[in-house]
Amino acid sequence: MTADADRTAPALRRWQAVDTAGGGLPLDLGLYAVSAVFAAVTAATSTLLPHRAWGTLATIGYALAALAAAAQLLARHRRPDTPLAGLPARWAVTGFAWVTTALLPVVAQSIQRAGGRTDRAQEEVVVVEHAGTRLAEHGTPYLGHDAIAALPPGEQLLGYTPYQPGMALFGLPRAAADAWWTDARVWFALVTALALAAAVLTLRTTAGPAAPRRDAAVLRAVQAATVLPVCALTLATGGDDLPVLALCLLALALAAAGRPGRAGLAVGAAGALKLFAWPVAVVLVCWAVTRRAGLRTALGALGLPIIALLPVLLVDRDALVENVLRFPLGHGLVTSPAQSPFPGHLIATALPAGRLVAAALLVAVAVAIAVRLLRRPPRTAAATALICGYGLLAAILLMPSTRFGYLLYPLALLVTAPALALAERRPDVAA
């Protein structure tokens, strides 16, 4: 159909061969078993108390899911057509795993925090809730430079809100009532579940001979966005990245279904929450241009973040710049705690002028991707997901200040690409 499809097909076929071996059950078993080990190690060794609390509950959930997958694999070996090893049964185990390793820890930590445990949430939860309170009271979620400087030194970090204005909406429930269900993570989880459900429904409504393989690929994509430890742990302890990721996946699903306008709205909603969605929006607009729908997609993809920014700009432009630009770039009153030992951070801290070297590498990657998009824009949703996944992976590895948890974005995007390829509704015109 297109050059993009030809280039991405071999990699997707290799992944599908591994993914579908044994009806997908060996990979299920490996995922749950390795995740159980990760959770147990986290519970025993993490220096972050919310992470240790997550690991204690998640170890049990992953272990039970691994036992269920092992039983399914044994049942399939004895009787290949048994319903116990079929796709609905695999969905049931995945749902159980997500409930026990993500949703149950969210509720447990929220209740414990409401009962007085101050060690049951990461800083971003508090930051989002404070942003919601400021939005309700002052019309902006941001504190200005002088207001942050006036805070005690130990509280200045929490004074920064390095998100887009839409993220403060998740803090509005706490501004209205102080209860466990107003914890920002509860609302992160709700929006994540709704967006992923919409993405699954969108991908599974396309009919065709590839439907069984497509449905299995959709399940794997959901696993990557839910039960993968980097996602489950993030949702349970912090959570702000999960609704952003889920909305990006929904946008790509809508693109695969041939709905560029709705795809633009979905990724625009993600961009109104966090800057991480903006590269996805740019690549998605490039895809839409090949469908003669660039303007329609851009109106939502770029328009929604701009609409979210306008009121805040009118209230306090300097506060917006201080929080959204200066602080993430390392020019705030305090330094971001995002210091995972990826190459960019190691270069920035170990080499003379290391931050400049890391920045130059980031710019080089950005230029290479821009040239690729201009010379050969993606013509399929799968190719779009692959470009976004590899591009974000390179950026995360090269950023001087980054978090291990940010890997959830490229991992989920790359694992979702096969599902998009199998569900794609391609235009009838040749590329």
Side-chain angles (χ1 to χ4, degrees):
M1 173 66 195
T2 66
D4 267 318
D6 293 339
R7 289 185 179 90
T8 58
L12 294 180
R13 283 198 295 269
R14 286 193 295 271
W15 164 251
Q16 288 166 6
V18 174
D19 181 28
T20 57
L25 290 171
L27 199 54
D28 284 356
L29 176 58
L31 169 63
Y32 299 135
V34 172
S35 298
V37 174
F38 177 89
V41 172
T42 300
T45 65
S46 178
T47 58
L48 300 174
L49 294 180
H51 287 208
R52 293 174 72 98
W54 169 82
T56 301
L57 285 177
T59 300
I60 300 172
Y62 284 129
L64 292 175
L67 288 174
Q72 289 177 307
L73 192 58
L74 181 61
R76 186 179 188 276
H77 179 72
R78 293 179 175 176
R79 182 183 166 193
D81 60 344
T82 177
L84 293 176
L87 194 59
R90 291 178 60 205
W91 272 104
V93 175
T94 298
F96 170 83
W98 194 45
V99 168
T100 55
T101 65
L103 300 186
L104 180 59
V106 164
V107 173
Q109 294 202 27
S110 298
I111 292 175
Q112 291 169 358
R113 181 176 174 228
R117 291 291 299 269
T118 58
D119 60 351
R120 285 297 180 263
Q122 291 188 175
E123 291 87 351
E124 51 263 42
V125 178
V126 179
V127 167
V128 170
E129 291 173 354
H130 287 175
T133 300
R134 288 193 291 269
L135 179 64
E137 295 177 353
H138 306 294
T140 176
Y142 306 116
L143 288 176
H145 178 277
D146 293 341
I148 296 174
L151 295 173
E155 298 179 14
Q156 289 181 351
L157 178 61
L158 296 180
Y160 278 99
T161 305
Y163 309 117
Q164 297 302 289
M167 188 66 75
L169 297 177
F170 291 98
L172 288 178
R174 179 53 61 95
D178 187 3
W180 73 266
W181 55 269
T182 63
D183 191 295
R185 289 169 293 183
V186 174
W187 299 91
F188 291 149
L190 177 61
V191 172
T192 298
L194 291 176
L196 288 178
V200 169
L201 181 62
T202 299
L203 291 175
R204 295 188 66 181
T205 51
T206 58
R213 289 191 297 125
R214 175 210 61 202
D215 291 346
V218 170
L219 171 59
R220 190 67 72 203
V222 170
Q223 289 175 332
T226 56
V227 299
L228 200 68
V230 70
C231 294
L233 170 61
T234 299
L235 182 61
T237 61
D240 57 278
D241 287 296
L242 269 300
V244 180
L245 172 64
L247 287 168
C248 289
L249 295 179
L250 173 58
L252 291 166
L254 290 167
R259 302 171 187 172
R262 296 182 184 182
L265 290 173
V267 79
L273 301 178
K274 204 165 186 178
L275 281 172
F276 258 106
W278 288 27
V280 179
V282 171
V283 180
L284 197 60
V285 169
C286 293
W287 162 84
V289 169
T290 68
R291 299 294 187 98
R292 299 182 178 88
L295 179 60
R296 195 181 351 151
T297 304
L299 285 175
L302 306 179
L304 282 181
I306 291 174
I307 290 173
L309 285 169
L310 284 178
V312 176
L313 281 170
L314 294 175
V315 173
D316 193 338
R317 180 186 61 186
D318 293 337
L320 173 67
V321 173
E322 177 71 20
N323 285 263
V324 178
L325 295 179
R326 289 181 58 81
F327 176 71
L329 293 175
H331 299 293
L333 292 170
V334 291
T335 304
S336 170
Q339 305 291 337
S340 294
F342 290 139
H345 176 68
L346 297 177
I347 291 171
T349 55
L351 296 180
R355 295 190 72 89
L356 291 178
V357 174
L361 291 173
L362 268 175
V363 170
V365 169
V367 170
I369 294 175
V371 171
R372 197 277 188 198
L373 291 174
L374 290 173
R375 294 184 58 185
R376 196 169 67 250
R379 296 178 180 273
T380 67
T384 302
L386 291 175
I387 293 173
C388 293
Y390 287 122
L392 286 175
L393 178 61
I396 291 167
L397 293 178
L398 292 175
M399 285 191 299
S401 298
T402 186
R403 292 182 186 271
F404 174 79
Y406 292 158
L407 290 175
L408 63 88
Y409 289 99
L411 288 174
L413 288 167
L414 294 174
V415 175
T416 301
L420 298 171
L422 292 169
E424 189 91 18
R425 287 184 180 176
R426 299 181 175 86
D428 295 331
V429 296

